[in-house]
Amino acid sequence: MDTTASERVHCLIIGSGPAGYTAAIYASRANLKPVLYQGIQPGGQLTITTEVENYPGYPDGVQGPDMMVHFEKQASRMGADIRFGLATKVDFSQQPYKVWIDDEKLIEADAVIIATGASAKWLGLESEQKLNGFGVSACAVCDGFFFRGKEVAIVGAGDTAAEEALYLSKLCTTVHMFVRRGEMRASKVMQERVQATPNIKIYWNTETEEIIGEKKTEAVRIKNNQTGETQTIPVSGFFVAIGHEPNSAIFKEWLDMDEAGYIKTRPGTSKTNIEGVFAAGDVQDKIYRQAVTAAGSGCMAALDAERYLGEKGLH
Ligand code: NDP
């Protein structure tokens, strides 16, 4: 590893979703001269969604990728130094904190804001990939509205799947819910709510074989893994709710996390267990996971970083 190419920065932001860019806007305006590394998917999860109708300030809705271009432009106009590159290793043992980009460039930072997000898990079917954005979605709150008055399917059996099935049941005529085992993982109260909702139809021991459609989702073929019986159900939307994976692997050695890898922050703040290292957005939030909540927590992280640098006499 080439550690000779090192650069000292005041405030380093890792990640380029709503949390990272909002942190960059606030940090720039506070004159923290932030440097932001975008990661492998500049713009984050919103760049793989279509229309966003629930982000305040866009009365006519906005395409997810366009919205992230707006975020980036705003951060850039405020003076953030936005760069392409992936953080591959960190050393938080002492100040200044070390972060390696693309395994070669070393950045030394007084404060670090982690906004690396999370990635939705997918089933791994070819048809799922092909129809992603064309009826296939991993976010009912983002996309459910487009299927109002229609039949949809959802796969998963945890709290997210239960919550999303309930959300969809208020918009859609029928929600077909595919559970791969004979029981659900979701909390009891959520299971009871799902089972008491007349337009949610649960299929136990059921796996998805294929999502059918050329240009848009038209049906789904499922298989009962006990009997081997298959059936095809016409649906317009197919929601995958089998969990998310926070992008936190490189921080494992240093930061407190829950069992799923979400970074723990002190309640009501963006502070991690290491002073001067802050976390914002989906990498520390498994509950809300919305663009607007991620943006809000990015703002918190920049304000926390500003206060920290001031208290340490570094700003
Ligand atoms: P979980 O990991 O809890 O559940 C994932 C579900 O998807 C499981 O039921 C699992 O089945 C199923 N699954 C996984 N892979 C496949 C597959 N290939 N095919 C079919 N089904 C599959 O993820 P969640 O996102 O639901 O929740 C994550 C955490 O966040 C949990 O701790 C949850 O309690 C919490 N949460 C809390 C909320 C709240 O408090 N309001 C809201 C949302 C989440 P199996 O059971 O067979 O393994």
Side-chain angles (χ1 to χ4, degrees):
M1 183 177 291
D2 173 20
T3 54
T4 52
S6 93
E7 179 186 353
R8 180 75 184 261
V9 308
H10 208 34
C11 174
L12 177 68
I13 300 169
I14 311 172
S16 58
Y21 284 140
T22 305
I25 292 165
Y26 274 77
S28 302
R29 297 188 80 248
N31 204 24
L32 302 185
K33 301 186 175 56
V35 170
L36 180 151
Y37 277 95
Q38 289 179 309
I40 32 175
Q41 190 181 24
Q45 289 190 76
L46 277 160
T47 59
I48 53 164
T49 61
T50 49
E51 197 165 1
V52 179
E53 289 188 330
N54 54 8
Y55 198 91
Y58 288 102
D60 302 318
V62 60
Q63 293 292 310
D66 292 345
M67 183 161 98
M68 294 327 292
V69 169
H70 299 164
F71 271 63
E72 181 182 347
K73 272 192 186 160
Q74 191 173 352
S76 200
R77 188 169 75 84
M78 293 300 137
D81 181 349
I82 296 168
R83 304 174 183 177
F84 192 66
L86 178 69
T88 45
K89 187 187 160 182
V90 300
D91 179 350
F92 291 157
S93 58
Q94 59 182 41
Q95 273 279 15
Y97 299 126
K98 294 186 174 68
V99 177
W100 282 267
I101 306 296
D102 297 326
D103 279 329
E104 49 182 36
K105 185 176 171 64
L106 170 62
I107 300 282
E108 294 186 288
D110 297 324
V112 178
I113 296 174
I114 299 167
T116 46
S119 308
K121 290 188 198 158
W122 297 96
L123 295 172
L125 301 171
E126 211 178 292
S127 51
E128 171 190 54
Q129 218 180 338
K130 185 179 85 180
L131 293 166
N132 193 345
F134 301 92
V136 173
S137 164
C139 179
V141 179
C142 318
D143 299 326
F145 191 67
F146 304 116
F147 302 97
R148 59 197 186 282
K150 298 192 171 146
E151 280 193 42
V152 296
I154 184 164
V155 56
D159 279 325
T160 302
E163 231 175 53
E164 300 210 332
L166 290 167
Y167 181 85
L168 291 167
S169 73
K170 297 188 182 94
L171 299 167
C172 306
T173 50
T174 308
V175 180
H176 302 274
M177 185 172 192
F178 309 139
V179 176
R180 70 176 171 183
R181 292 185 294 138
E183 59 179 339
M184 290 172 80
R185 183 183 293 274
S187 52
K188 204 158 187 312
V189 57
M190 291 303 280
Q191 290 191 34
E192 282 167 5
R193 270 186 220 159
V194 165
Q195 291 182 31
T197 304
N199 64 336
I200 299 179
K201 186 170 175 201
I202 302 176
Y203 299 68
W204 303 103
N205 302 305
T206 295
E207 289 173 38
T208 306
E209 283 200 331
E210 199 191 351
I211 304 150
I212 299 162
E214 268 316 305
K215 294 218 159 53
K216 61 182 172 63
T217 300
E218 282 164 7
V220 55
R221 191 174 70 248
I222 53 171
K223 181 179 180 178
N224 184 300
N225 57 28
Q226 305 280 301
T227 63
E229 190 192 327
T230 61
Q231 59 176 306
T232 300
I233 304 169
V235 291
S236 312
F238 183 83
F239 290 87
V240 180
I242 61 171
H244 282 76
E245 207 137 17
N247 301 317
S248 63
I250 62 166
F251 311 108
K252 273 212 163 74
E253 202 184 316
W254 307 100
L255 300 182
D256 289 346
M257 297 178 187
D258 72 5
E259 61 295 337
Y262 287 91
I263 296 173
K264 286 188 182 169
T265 50
R266 208 179 304 159
T269 77
S270 65
K271 296 176 185 171
T272 68
N273 57 302
I274 294 185
E275 232 198 0
V277 177
F278 307 92
D282 287 12
V283 74
Q284 54 84 57
D285 169 23
K286 65 180 174 197
I287 310 278
Y288 301 105
R289 294 195 297 243
Q290 300 301 300
V292 68
T293 51
S297 74
C299 160
M300 287 163 64
L303 295 177
D304 286 342
E306 183 189 2
R307 202 159 300 145
Y308 165 79
L309 292 167
E311 279 164 12
K312 290 279 161 193
L314 294 165
H315 180 57

